[in-house]
Amino acid sequence: MISVPPIPALGAIPGWGILRADHRTYALDLRVTRGERAGALSLERCAAGRMRDVYPVARHDIEVRTGRMGAGALVCLLMAVRSALADADPRCLRLLYAVPADDLGRLAAAESAAFRRVVDVDLGGEEHCLTVWEPASVTRRDQGLHLIPEG
């Protein structure tokens, strides 16, 4: 098993208030607010949680879980979490967000927040679409990799 660093504490999430935080070694559960609406947000190191057995994860990867909320709020929250985690843990280069397979609205919201669908997985007996966000520095690739030098 790889060594897993503790989950970082978030000082702030841009555009969101934090009502309550339960900080454990590898996970952080938050109650967040935006205006008069409140929602649940959980962050967990993938290598210490349920993702370690369903997807190839690195030690700094983080799974994002949210409670039910409108599509617009979900897009804003996912984008704000990306920003907050970039500041709190610059070594985190992958965020995973699992969407129940039949929740097309939540999947569209994740995609609007720049998460891309990568694979369907079974989590706790239910099929989920696993979406991933990675910074451009990770997804950028050399356009000449397909060229094989002759010689």
Side-chain angles (χ1 to χ4, degrees):
M1 180 170 169
I2 62 175
S3 66
V4 181
I7 193 92
L10 296 182
I13 300 173
W16 293 79
I18 299 174
L19 288 178
R20 185 181 73 238
D22 177 21
H23 196 164
R24 298 178 311 282
T25 302
Y26 304 115
L28 178 61
D29 295 322
L30 303 166
R31 187 84 179 141
V32 295
T33 61
R34 184 178 175 99
E36 295 194 17
R37 297 184 180 160
L41 171 65
S42 295
L43 305 171
E44 182 175 35
R45 286 286 187 205
C46 295
R50 66 185 187 161
M51 290 297 164
R52 73 176 166 258
D53 296 324
V54 297
Y55 193 75
V57 297
R59 55 191 305 241
H60 285 272
D61 294 352
I62 294 177
E63 179 187 6
V64 178
R65 286 185 248 168
T66 62
R68 286 257 184 228
M69 61 183 65
L74 179 56
V75 171
C76 291
L77 181 58
L78 290 174
M79 292 173 69
V81 166
R82 287 182 6 216
S83 176
L85 285 171
D87 292 338
D89 185 2
R91 295 181 71 187
C92 176
L93 299 178
R94 184 180 301 132
L95 300 179
L96 284 77
Y97 184 67
V99 178
D102 60 351
D103 194 337
L104 300 180
R106 194 181 296 195
L107 180 59
E111 290 173 337
S112 292
F115 283 70
R116 61 185 165 74
R117 183 178 181 167
V118 292
V119 68
D120 291 341
V121 296
D122 183 359
L123 292 172
E126 292 183 41
E127 186 177 348
H128 285 71
C129 300
L130 189 58
T131 65
V132 174
W133 176 84
E134 296 165 313
S137 61
V138 172
T139 58
R140 193 177 316 132
R141 60 187 167 119
D142 183 349
Q143 297 300 315
L145 287 177
H146 66 284
L147 301 174
I148 299 172
E150 292 182 33

